[in-house]
Amino acid sequence: MPNGILVIDKPADWTSMDVCAKVRGIFHEKRVGHAGTLDPMATGVLPVFIGRATRAVEFASESEKEYIAELKLGVSTNTQDTTGQVLEERPVTVDREAVLAVLDRFRGDIQQIPPMYSAIKRNGKKLYELARKGQEVERAARPVRIHALELLEASGPADYRLRVRCSKGTYVRTLCHDIGAALGCGGCMGALRRTMAAGFSLADAVTLEAVQAAAGRGEAEGLLLPVDAYFAGRPDLLLKPEAEKKLRNGMTLVIPALEDGEYRVYGGDRTFLALCRAERGRLSTIKSFFPV
């Protein structure tokens, strides 16, 4: 059965779940999940986890992400991007220097009010379901972190391209909306491309067309990255047969000389067994990845 990570360059007008459904059909594998939802209008890096690799999704979703966003000033919409209904249009009198100056307010730890057109739930209902009925509810601001915010280019007095590196839970379209509000002319997001997620970049990504073509040649599994690639920043630990048997049985291993920290743990045949944590000479499993 296929097991691994497939980094997709998501096309526009596809939901993240559309991509998973397509991958599920190509690989004939029910266990398919993704890390980090992309709105339909967005393109770029969407890590898709297949088979036993789906056990790693919970770790991937916590990581930083990076985007290239188009900021369109002078236009405010109900979705905070150009797919929505225009609520207000205002003249743009600010220049590039004014945009550069206001970006300082949005670097580091900031507060964001989630948009109504989002999948956040309120009393069991997703906010976008309420928004489509014309309802608006109060939303509490949430802390997010903007690690990097860079103005890449200005293609006109109202159009700017930004690079955004941010924490989990950041809404880039809300960032564009808030920048426009701070400038006094309003703003929204015109386009979005994710360039990095879960430690994977566009250099790792393949198109759905390429995956489909590889499947036609019987080579689709060759595109999968091994699940331990996601944990590449942790040191390796190779177990002897007796210790491997104990770990497979869910036991904590006693290894007094082992330094504290997280480890990629392998069996004698270099099979990736688990992500583990060592603490005070005891090695316990965080998540196992071997067949059961």
Side-chain angles (χ1 to χ4, degrees):
M1 301 297 289
N3 294 286
I5 304 169
L6 185 64
V7 185
I8 295 293
D9 186 347
K10 189 188 86 66
D13 302 323
W14 285 60
T15 69
S16 299
M17 292 308 297
D18 288 340
V19 172
C20 286
K22 184 69 172 179
V23 170
R24 197 173 287 117
I26 291 173
F27 286 90
H28 306 292
E29 170 58 62
K30 293 181 179 179
R31 295 171 297 170
V32 174
H34 67 82
T37 301
L38 280 175
D39 289 340
M41 77 173 292
T43 66
V45 174
L46 181 69
V48 177
F49 295 73
I50 302 170
R52 290 194 306 278
T54 53
R55 300 175 190 174
V57 169
E58 63 185 270
F59 304 99
S61 62
E62 297 294 324
S63 62
E64 294 176 17
K65 299 173 178 64
E66 186 174 274
Y67 301 87
I68 302 298
E70 303 290 342
L71 167 65
K72 187 171 185 62
L73 296 177
V75 179
S76 299
T77 74
N78 62 343
T79 59
Q80 301 182 343
D81 60 38
T82 52
T83 68
Q85 177 186 349
V86 174
L87 301 176
E88 185 180 16
E89 292 187 73
R90 302 182 66 177
V92 179
T93 57
V94 299
D95 58 11
R96 185 177 187 275
E97 294 307 312
V99 174
L100 280 171
V102 85
L103 294 185
D104 281 338
R105 303 187 202 176
F106 296 94
R107 296 188 178 102
D109 295 319
I110 65 170
Q111 297 283 324
Q112 274 194 339
I113 297 176
M116 276 300 300
Y117 280 86
S118 65
I120 294 171
K121 288 187 176 181
R122 175 68 62 84
N123 297 326
K125 292 282 188 179
K126 293 179 179 178
L127 290 184
Y128 69 76
E129 295 174 339
L130 300 176
R132 287 171 181 170
K133 296 177 181 178
Q135 301 176 36
E136 183 165 352
V137 297
E138 188 174 346
R139 289 98 64 204
R142 295 183 170 192
V144 298
R145 177 170 293 180
I146 308 298
H147 299 278
L149 180 56
E150 178 185 1
L151 175 56
L152 298 179
E153 67 172 318
S155 55
D159 298 292
Y160 296 85
R161 180 172 293 173
L162 306 175
R163 181 180 73 87
V164 183
R165 190 181 181 102
C166 55
S167 66
K168 173 192 175 183
T170 302
Y171 287 92
V172 179
R173 53 196 164 98
T174 299
L175 180 64
C176 291
H177 170 87
D178 292 348
I179 290 171
L183 289 166
C185 58
C188 66
M189 188 179 74
L192 186 68
R193 182 159 177 77
R194 188 156 68 190
T195 54
M196 189 272 288
F200 301 109
S201 70
L202 284 170
D204 303 306
V206 294
T207 64
L208 284 171
E209 290 82 2
V211 179
Q212 188 73 69
R217 301 189 301 270
E219 301 172 355
E221 288 193 40
L223 298 174
L224 298 181
L225 300 172
V227 66
D228 55 328
Y230 178 66
F231 304 111
R234 284 83 162 176
D236 294 356
L237 180 63
L238 190 65
L239 297 182
K240 294 180 179 179
E242 184 179 347
E244 177 181 346
K245 183 178 180 180
K246 289 180 178 180
L247 184 136
R248 285 179 177 270
N249 287 327
M251 298 175 64
T252 295
L253 305 183
V254 178
I255 310 177
L258 193 62
E259 293 185 4
D260 288 1
E262 293 185 357
Y263 290 83
R264 292 180 294 161
V265 178
Y266 296 84
D269 60 355
R270 296 297 302 181
T271 296
F272 179 51
L273 300 176
L275 177 68
C276 293
R277 179 181 291 111
E279 190 171 3
R280 291 180 291 183
R282 297 174 67 84
L283 185 74
S284 57
T285 298
I286 300 172
K287 183 71 72 171
S288 63
F289 292 93
F290 53 83
V292 293

